[in-house]
Amino acid sequence: MAAETLLPSAAPVRFVAEDGSRADRGGEYGEPAEARLKEAYRLMVLGRRFDVQATALTKQGRLAVYPSSAGQEACQVAAALALEANDWLFPTYRDSVALVARGLKPGEVLTLLRGDAHCGYNPVETRVAPQCTPLATQTLHAAGLAHAMQRRGEDAVALALIGDGATSEGDFHEALNFAAVFKAPVVFFVQNNRFAISVPFEKQSAAEALAYKGIGYGMRSEQVDGNDAVAVLAVLDDAVKHAREGKGPVLVEAHTYRIDAHTNADDATRYRDAGEVAKWREADPLKRLETYLKSRESLTDSEIEQFAADAEVYAQSVRDTLNAEPELDPLSLFDHVYAEPTRQLAAQRAALAAELEA
Amino acid sequence: MTTTMAQALNAALRDALKDDDRVLVFGEDVGTLGGVFRVTDGITADFGEDRCFDTPLAESGIVGFALGMAMGGFRPVVEMQFDAFAYPAFEQITSHVAKLRNRTRGALEVPMVIRVPYAGGIGGVEHHCDSSEAYYTHTPGLRVVTPGTAQDAYDLLRDAIESPDPVIFLEPKCRYWSSEEVTFTRTGAPMDRAVVRRPGKDVTLIAYGPMVATALETAEAAKDEGWDVEVVDLRSLSPFDDETVTASVRRTGRAVVVHEAAGFGGYGAEVVARVTEQCFHQLHAPVLRVTGLDIPYPAPKLERHMLPDVDRILDTIARLQWDDTPVVAGA
């Protein structure tokens, strides 16, 4: 494939400017249908409310930790909306809002962060891999699974979410290389939110854009304004289509910003100034989409109110779910280590059972 | 028929590929070349590139990609080429391959085999001869097996490929070319069981992988010293077969564990602890170890000083308090 066909656009793809007016950097991409944009808006409202609620729950000790994705809702929601039911999503710890948008229940999404289990949902039924905490390791799983599905003749795609920090990991590069060599139907979606905990992008990579990293692997790449939901959805729709048609993997970089700290346990004032955060707050993806849809008369005030009210009901359900303390069975520790418990594990299980009865 | 261990492994791969469409063989150089040790010789030619194929040179990539394929319903058998080259894949193996079943509470399993040519004795240069078993056996969720004979190479690899759990399959490089009679139908014990390779009354030698043959040689040589040596081949390092091992030690009352890997913090320490815990009252002497030295694997011209051999094992057996002479602790 000729190098120029792999290159991302010169500037990030953008359909909507920061003030909500129509921008003109959509390139060859078609604008997603109005109904999809409205659905994206609804899910972004829901996602933001979920994020605020989860952060509050950490303060009450209901969650061990919560990595907020506030400010990244356009990316989170578009990642879920770009996929069909049979496609696979490979999220990281920061991508809880993408799981909400994918339709998982809040209890399922927050099981990991509450500390009840490593993965609160059934990956096979939801087609969502466990939220990955080591960086970039899941990109290889996405590539392998995508290749497996292609071999089996399944018309399905895998989408792996990663942050800017993860693009420095070896596994990211091995995954891009494997996916490109095997022409696996996988989309690598980098949310460049400018910080890997405290390390700014400038210290993470000397590349002008992470999207440029695709060309070295022979992979089509694109960069997009990550706070423009219309653009992110347009680009991801196209990337998923490209992969599904067997044309190979795609790398998409969204330029965005993490408004909150790395997690509730982090102090972001130590490594970035308030002015920068304030500037990015102005680039709020939710407000931008709302203004844009209203200007096109695709969204009414009463719909906005309705979505906000629905999000409140949802937040209540998050609280209810998290306030209920499910009883955990200590003996379940020995389940699922091996297909059948080994003799050693059976003995340890019996010992713990005796301890519990004593 | 008389076959080398490498040919027995090749036959096991072929039979598995024939029996189960989900089995795939891949890694660096396993295709056209047939692997640097020729374990996959001719498989691509006979089964096609769909079933046995070369990948980019990246161990983490091979293992992580294989895990994804296992999620997608395949049963990958991947090759790491050399023990010390597998370390880039260590995170994938310990954080993901070993844990996916547990993390997903049984919703996903990882039926894959990671073949690792391991251990020394072949005159390999730096980074070609590590005994890395302790890293893997210390990781719950993995099964770790190693054949000591060509027949077991066939049997264990067939079992490993059929296992619903991920298996680290350690192939003793120095035994690849040793020939013996092999039946290509499974004749051995189940994958998680040790076997008594040679019965004896006086002392149990506990060995695995490359040291099984050395232990058997030692047992023959020990006859001249008047010792009747029993040899237990562990086969499965994880899970460990306490029953077979302790039954043997209870019969003989003395035990020596032999392995090539460094002794400190090594696999043998676990075996000694388990045997001591379970056989204390039957033991006539402390359980001793003969291991590699606690040094990085040496240059080829010096490796003979590192590897346990018949003499060193006989010297250790001699220290098992046959009379009132106190045991000299390991240096």
Side-chain angles (χ1 to χ4, degrees), chain B residues 242 257 267-279 287 289:
Chain B
D242 289 280
V257 186
Y267 185 76
E270 176 68 27
V271 179
V272 172
R274 300 187 82 85
V275 169
T276 307
E277 283 167 0
Q278 294 168 69
C279 307
V287 183
R289 287 175 288 167

Side-chain angles (χ1 to χ4, degrees), chain B residues 218-296:
Chain B
T218 306
E220 282 305 304
K223 284 200 277 193
D224 296 341
E225 309 285 336
W227 295 315
D228 186 9
V229 173
E230 178 150 307
V231 175
V232 173
D233 176 357
L234 292 181
R235 304 168 82 250
S236 172
L237 305 187
S238 180
F240 180 73
D241 181 359
D242 289 280
E243 286 85 348
T244 304
V245 172
T246 56
S248 170
V249 177
R250 286 195 184 110
R251 278 196 301 274
T252 61
R254 289 181 170 82
V256 174
V257 186
V258 187
H259 63 57
E260 283 191 24
F264 188 83
Y267 185 76
E270 176 68 27
V271 179
V272 172
R274 300 187 82 85
V275 169
T276 307
E277 283 167 0
Q278 294 168 69
C279 307
F280 187 72
H281 290 292
Q282 287 83 32
L283 285 170
H284 304 306
V287 183
L288 298 182
R289 287 175 288 167
V290 185
T291 70
L293 308 175
D294 295 329
I295 56 171

Side-chain angles (χ1 to χ4, degrees), chain A residues 119-120 123-124 130-131 134 137 140-141 143-145 147-148 151-152 171 174 177-178 182 335-339 343-344, chain B residues 50 53 56 58 60-61 64-65 68-69 72 91-92 96 101-103 105 107 141-142 164-165 192 239-240 242-243 274:
Chain A
C119 178
V124 180
Q131 282 178 279
T137 50
L140 278 164
H141 310 159
L145 178 59
H147 180 60
R151 271 176 173 255
R152 299 170 79 91
D171 276 5
E174 296 190 19
N177 194 38
F178 268 70
F182 287 100
D335 297 343
H336 312 304
V337 183
Y338 296 93
R343 295 179 292 275
Q344 281 90 17
Chain B
D50 267 3
F53 52 93
S60 188
F65 195 75
M69 293 204 70
E91 184 189 14
Q92 284 291 344
H96 295 291
R101 175 191 296 282
N102 189 255
R103 290 170 72 211
R105 292 179 283 182
L142 300 177
D165 298 310
D192 60 351
F240 180 73
D242 289 280
E243 286 85 348
R274 300 187 82 85

Side-chain angles (χ1 to χ4, degrees), chain A residues 86 88 127 144-154 156-158:
Chain A
N86 269 351
W88 274 81
R127 295 241 161 182
L145 178 59
H147 180 60
M149 294 191 293
Q150 192 174 47
R151 271 176 173 255
R152 299 170 79 91
E154 286 178 42
V157 170

